[in-house]
Amino acid sequence: MAFNATKKEWSELYAFFRLLADGQVYAGTPDVKQNEAVCLPVAMVQREEHDGTRRYVIGKNEVRVCGEQMDKRVPREDFATVSELVLQALRESETDDVASPEGVEGFLDEVAIYNLEAKTDDRTDFKVAFYREDAPLTGFCVRSRLGALYPLLDGGRAANFKFEQTGIKFPVPAVAKINAFGEEEDVLGRMLMIERMGGNLKYNDVADKIFRSNLSMIDLHMGRLLGEMTRLMWLEGKTKVSDLTEAVRQLNPLKIKDELIVKHGFYDYKIKEFLLAVATGMRPAKIYNGIDSAIDGCLLVTGNGDVLCYQRAFRQVFADFLFYNTRLEKGSTSKDKYGYLERENGVYYFKLNLKVGLTKR
């Protein structure tokens, strides 16, 4: 009997099956290509199910599936066959819901997979042992360009920045008029209306104290830097992180010396450090202390079905990949509570929200 699952769920399963079928994975390059010089042998993949841990040990021609009260062997070519069926279904589906291809459900039962999304507390999708079965495990999240790309950072209202409304002092009727302007998501329209009426929006602070502290672990001025990038996204219509970093470099909101910007690449470096922290587990509402999380990197499923490996072990490549392949996104104003003038201790503030995702191509 066929069942439906999201493209995200099928993509995670596809990447998992490809590792088992191929017994290897290529490292990715910053421009999302295979690095032919770096092919990593996969010895074992560990996955969590609702009833315990499964270890999939890769042999020459078969995969040994080990778990509580189970130990069986499955031909590797079966994983290759099923991965192709899943890939075809992902490509052919025009909606996010994808029906299971014929024969796949029976195979999932055979290899003891009952949850398409792994059940973990550490936010990894599965863990990989490279080179040998008893090697230290490397935790991965799967990201896929075959479906909707879920944000790297989606902190809701905890990821808001506060901008103080300065310049002319608006009376209450003027504030009401600004807040009533346009559709609910017309944040830019309200920002421009504030300017037309003689007001300015000056960066004030990170709205959430935990997120403020998390960003301060990277740089004491990280909040201002990201706040200015978010403002530029709305005002200039740019979304790619690399383009916004260039705009910030020209604006120089932190008023640092040209030598630090040009010779040391200050702004590029800080943004890459932020992206690495986000990709490996930093969240706005949870205390971040700089200690490495269980997430070591990501496996990216490309549009043509290749699986590319990005991880902390190849830190600079991982950082460059994130820098050139991420964008700022616009979240829901009602859900994330931003985009309006709000009074706080006699001062009006306008909040903007930070959301970071991978680019589609």
Side-chain angles (χ1 to χ4, degrees):
M1 180 180 172
F3 64 91
N4 283 20
T6 66
K7 287 187 173 180
K8 179 179 184 295
E9 292 169 325
W10 282 118
S11 293
E12 179 185 322
L13 203 61
Y14 170 76
F16 175 63
F17 284 167
R18 277 260 55 102
L19 293 190
L20 297 178
D22 298 340
Q24 63 183 29
V25 63
Y26 281 97
T29 64
D31 56 349
V32 198
K33 292 183 172 63
Q34 286 185 354
N35 184 345
E36 301 293 341
V38 183
C39 184
L40 304 167
V42 177
M44 188 272 293
V45 183
Q46 180 173 297
R47 194 172 185 274
E48 301 298 326
E49 281 283 340
H50 70 279
D51 60 347
T53 301
R54 306 274 193 278
R55 290 166 59 86
Y56 297 79
V57 184
I58 302 173
K60 184 176 181 181
N61 298 308
E62 59 189 14
V63 174
R64 183 182 174 192
V65 185
C66 307
E68 231 176 280
Q69 300 180 343
M70 72 172 298
D71 189 342
K72 65 189 301 184
R73 287 168 171 76
V74 180
R76 278 175 59 183
E77 63 182 6
D78 289 1
F79 288 97
T81 300
V82 173
S83 71
E84 287 303 317
L85 291 174
V86 172
L87 177 60
Q88 183 180 355
L90 282 166
R91 284 174 167 168
E92 291 178 353
S93 177
E94 295 181 356
T95 65
D96 190 51
D97 273 345
V98 182
S100 59
E102 186 177 352
V104 170
E105 186 173 7
F107 181 75
L108 295 179
D109 290 339
E110 182 184 356
V111 296
I113 292 177
Y114 307 114
N115 303 102
L116 294 196
E117 281 193 297
K119 301 295 183 183
T120 62
D121 295 325
D122 58 16
R123 300 175 70 216
T124 60
D125 291 325
F126 46 76
K127 295 181 173 69
V128 177
F130 293 110
Y131 296 100
R132 66 182 194 278
E133 182 186 347
D134 61 348
L137 295 176
T138 303
F140 286 102
C141 290
V142 175
R143 304 282 175 176
S144 174
R145 286 182 166 175
L146 291 171
L149 282 163
Y150 288 72
L152 291 173
L153 178 80
D154 186 4
R157 66 187 70 179
N160 284 341
F161 298 110
K162 292 167 59 178
F163 293 80
E164 183 182 347
Q165 185 267 306
T166 61
I168 189 171
K169 187 174 182 179
F170 292 145
V172 172
V175 172
K177 182 179 179 181
I178 291 168
N179 284 343
F181 180 84
E183 299 294 328
E184 186 176 21
E185 303 300 327
D186 190 8
V187 176
L188 176 60
R190 291 188 285 278
M191 292 173 73
L192 295 177
M193 189 174 184
I194 289 170
E195 287 188 9
R196 287 197 302 271
M197 294 174 66
N200 295 306
L201 293 176
K202 179 183 177 182
Y203 175 80
N204 176 263
D205 205 351
V206 182
D208 183 86
K209 65 179 183 179
I210 293 179
F211 192 37
R212 180 194 310 135
S213 298
N214 289 350
L215 294 178
S216 295
M217 292 291 290
I218 301 169
D219 190 278
L220 292 176
H221 301 290
M222 200 71 215
R224 178 182 294 275
L225 173 52
L226 291 171
E228 293 298 343
M229 284 182 68
T230 306
R231 191 218 309 255
L232 288 171
M233 174 191 69
W234 285 101
L235 293 177
E236 298 189 5
K238 297 175 180 178
T239 58
K240 287 193 69 174
V241 167
S242 55
D243 293 340
L244 286 165
T245 305
E246 172 61 29
V248 164
R249 199 184 298 131
Q250 300 300 322
L251 183 64
N252 191 15
L254 303 186
K255 307 302 179 189
I256 60 177
K257 294 181 179 179
D258 287 345
E259 181 179 5
L260 197 55
I261 298 172
V262 177
K263 292 184 178 180
H264 294 267
F266 177 87
Y267 286 115
D268 295 43
Y269 173 75
K270 291 298 181 181
I271 293 302
K272 288 177 183 180
E273 289 297 299
F274 165 72
L275 292 171
L276 282 170
V278 166
T280 54
M282 185 182 82
R283 287 176 281 174
K286 185 176 180 180
I287 292 175
Y288 172 73
N289 56 15
I291 296 174
D292 290 345
S293 72
I295 304 172
D296 291 293
C298 77
L299 294 170
L300 178 70
V301 180
T302 68
N304 61 10
D306 290 336
V307 179
L308 302 178
C309 176
Y310 296 93
Q311 57 173 311
R312 273 195 288 246
F314 306 104
R315 194 174 192 277
Q316 192 57 54
V317 173
F318 193 12
D320 289 342
F321 159 73
L322 292 169
F323 186 73
Y324 291 109
N325 294 280
T326 50
R327 64 182 180 180
L328 298 194
E329 300 176 353
K330 299 173 182 177
S332 164
T333 56
S334 57
K335 173 178 171 288
D336 298 331
K337 304 296 182 186
Y338 74 99
Y340 296 93
L341 283 172
E342 301 173 39
R343 191 179 179 88
E344 186 179 319
N345 296 325
V347 178
Y348 281 107
Y349 295 96
F350 193 91
K351 292 178 183 175
L352 293 177
N353 180 258
L354 178 67
K355 192 186 297 288
V356 183
L358 288 172
T359 57
K360 194 70 177 174
R361 58 178 59 84

